[in-house]
């Protein structure tokens, strides 16, 4: 078997459904399997999986074991030469795995591969490629020096700014939302460190791959949509675990000293405060207009009633997608992409190409009864049920 895709879920039932749909489309030409591990969700994620995807292997944990152990459980059941650790709040393109596996087969001494990630508004997620967060590198992030001096190598290591967003190359640290590697390497590394509940596990795994003299890569030739913030509500418990995770990584891999510990403690407090501030949801303005990008005329008649607003219908077979400002006439609006007629790859491309502060995006997944998306990388997404 070529590939095993491991999806660890916790209470994101609708995002999980869309994710599995996109992965199914992406593995049709491969010998591959999907393994969903549920960390004791209290929503109907497991029931949905059983009814909607009876052929997908589902592992139901009796408690929330956290990110590392949950993924380790999934990988223990995997049979593929390669494994992909994938967040449930992601959407992959139909050719994502074909492209990335072809790249992997060409590499020697391969470590972990990550890919280009964008959020639900189409903006690039800089954590797609990162450097080792040493005390100095972490400080450039905490104090925003990487933004002030983006062309200075001394200050731009946290987000691996030596590589352009659209440039494939070696990096040190990758993000756990999408990590592809050989299953044998994962076993050599003994998987994610279960002493870390979450948040530093991907940094730790990437770093240990480097210690094995492996090469980690950022691969830009496929884009994956990551509704960042959906899997975790950034509350006080999140802040506590984030601090514990950063302490875990530094204490594990760097020599301990009072100065170092004090510096990291101050840095974590500042960074956690910023995260907490970013994580507070803002009031979302109701879109002034909607565009339904589809050929489904029946649904286009239902949507104005459901959304309580006028919906303009664009038949993708007859009209080309143009600049969002022209489509929406400069209004604050929302574009709804019908996956029944528009591939996941094209949905991702449209969101990435038409990104605009005035525009939000939703996807109507194939054979689903909901519209889904996210207006911000810092809070939970939005779901509109279609009856």
């Amino acid at each position: 078997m070529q590939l095993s895709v491991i999806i660890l879920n916790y209470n994101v039932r609708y995002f999980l459904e869309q994710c599995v749909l996109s992965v199914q489309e992406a593995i049709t030409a491969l010998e591959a399997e999907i393994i969903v591990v549920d960390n004791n969700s209290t929503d109907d994620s497991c029931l949905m999986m059983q009814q909607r995807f009876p052929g997908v292997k589902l592992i139901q944990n009796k408690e929330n074991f956290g990110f590392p152990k949950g993924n380790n459980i999934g990988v223990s059941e995997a049979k593929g030469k390669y494994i992909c650790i994938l967040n449930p709040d992601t959407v992959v393109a139909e050719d994502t795995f074909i492209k990335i596996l072809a790249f992997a087969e060409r590499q020697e001494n391969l470590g972990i591969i990550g890919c280009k990630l964008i959020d639900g508004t189409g903006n690039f997620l800089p954590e797609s490629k990162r450097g080792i967060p040493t005390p100095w590198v972490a400080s450039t992030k905490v104090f925003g020096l990487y933004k002030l001096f983006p062309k200075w190598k001394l200050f731009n290591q946290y987000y691996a700014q030596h590589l352009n967003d659209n440039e494939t190359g070696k990096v040190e640290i990758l993000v756990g939302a999408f990590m592809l590697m050989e299953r044998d390497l994962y076993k050599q590394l003994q998987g994610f460190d279960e002493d870390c509940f979450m948040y530093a596990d991907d940094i730790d795994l990437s770093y240990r791959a480097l210690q094995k003299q492996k090469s980690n890569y950022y691969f830009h030739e496929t884009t994956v949509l990551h509704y960042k913030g959906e899997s975790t509500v950034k509350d006080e418990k999140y802040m506590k675990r984030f601090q514990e995770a950063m302490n875990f990584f530094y204490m594990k891999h760097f020599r301990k000293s009072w100065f170092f510990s004090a510096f990291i403690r101050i840095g974590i407090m500042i960074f956690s405060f910023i995260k907490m501030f970013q994580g507070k949801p803002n009031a979302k303005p109701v879109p002034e207009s909607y565009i339904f990008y589809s050929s489904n005329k029946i649904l286009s008649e239902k949507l104005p009633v459901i959304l309580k607003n006028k919906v303009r219908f664009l038949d993708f077979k007859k009209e080309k997608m143009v600049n969002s400002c022209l489509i929406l006439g400069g209004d604050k609006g929302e574009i709804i992409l019908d996956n029944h007629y528009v591939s996941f790859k094209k949905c991702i491309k449209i969101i990435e190409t038409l990104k605009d502060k005035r525009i939000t995006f939703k996807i109507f997944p194939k054979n689903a009864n909901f519209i889904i998306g996210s207006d911000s990388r810092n809070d939970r997404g939005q779901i509109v049920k279609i009856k």
Side-chain angles (χ1 to χ4, degrees), residues 40-65:
N40 197 30
S41 294
T42 55
D43 60 11
D44 64 346
S45 292
C46 291
L47 179 61
M48 179 277 295
M49 287 299 305
Q50 292 165 347
Q51 294 179 342
R52 187 86 198 267
F53 307 104
V56 171
K57 185 174 183 62
L58 174 64
I59 300 172
Q60 300 182 57
N61 292 333
K62 299 303 181 183
E63 60 181 284
N64 184 356
F65 289 126

Side-chain angles (χ1 to χ4, degrees), residues 241-348:
R241 286 178 177 167
F242 180 80
Q243 292 183 23
E244 290 172 350
M246 293 305 294
N247 278 323
F248 160 82
F249 178 74
Y250 286 113
M251 295 304 103
K252 179 176 179 178
H253 294 292
F254 295 92
R255 184 166 52 184
K256 186 176 181 179
S257 72
W258 70 268
F259 176 79
F260 175 80
S261 298
F263 176 83
I264 293 304
R265 195 174 296 114
I266 293 170
I268 289 173
M269 289 174 63
I270 294 172
F271 192 56
S272 296
F273 175 78
I274 294 171
K275 278 282 185 182
M276 187 177 294
F277 177 77
Q278 290 177 337
K280 291 180 179 179
N282 297 318
K284 298 179 181 65
V286 176
E288 296 172 9
S289 59
Y290 290 87
I291 298 293
F292 185 45
Y293 194 40
S294 173
S295 293
N296 189 332
K297 293 185 178 180
I298 296 176
L299 186 57
S300 68
E301 294 173 357
K302 289 183 178 181
L303 281 176
V305 178
I306 296 169
L307 299 173
K308 299 178 181 179
N309 205 331
K310 184 178 180 180
V311 178
R312 182 181 169 193
F313 172 67
L314 279 183
D315 188 336
F316 84 100
K317 292 180 179 179
K318 298 178 181 179
E319 302 181 58
K320 292 183 179 180
M321 183 63 76
V322 294
N323 184 280
S324 57
C325 293
L326 295 177
I327 292 174
L328 295 159
D331 294 338
K332 290 182 179 178
E334 183 161 284
I335 296 174
I336 303 170
L337 303 164
D338 189 350
N339 177 233
H340 295 80
Y341 302 97
V342 186
S343 69
F344 282 116
K345 181 178 180 178
K346 190 167 185 180
C347 287
I348 295 168

Side-chain angles (χ1 to χ4, degrees), residues 120-187:
T121 65
N123 289 298
F124 176 73
L125 290 172
E127 62 268 27
S128 301
K129 51 183 180 67
R130 292 176 289 176
I132 299 168
T134 61
W136 167 251
V137 171
S139 69
T140 65
K141 161 64 178 175
V142 170
F143 297 107
L145 299 177
Y146 72 99
K147 292 181 180 178
L148 297 175
F149 307 100
K151 296 182 179 180
W152 289 35
K153 184 178 180 180
L154 183 64
F155 301 108
N156 66 18
Q157 297 172 61
Y158 188 87
Y159 286 130
Q161 288 164 277
H162 68 284
L163 276 184
N164 186 277
D165 302 350
N166 295 313
E167 179 184 6
T168 294
K170 292 182 180 181
V171 295
E172 293 168 326
I173 305 298
L174 297 158
V175 66
F178 185 105
M179 302 178 92
L180 186 136
M181 70 201 84
E182 290 190 355
R183 182 163 56 98
D184 285 347
L185 173 61
Y186 193 92
K187 288 183 176 180

Side-chain angles (χ1 to χ4, degrees), residues 343-360:
S343 69
F344 282 116
K345 181 178 180 178
K346 190 167 185 180
C347 287
I348 295 168
K349 184 65 176 178
I350 289 170
I351 292 171
E352 184 177 13
T353 303
L354 298 184
K355 60 179 179 289
D356 188 303
K357 291 182 179 179
R358 292 167 294 178
I359 310 301
T360 56

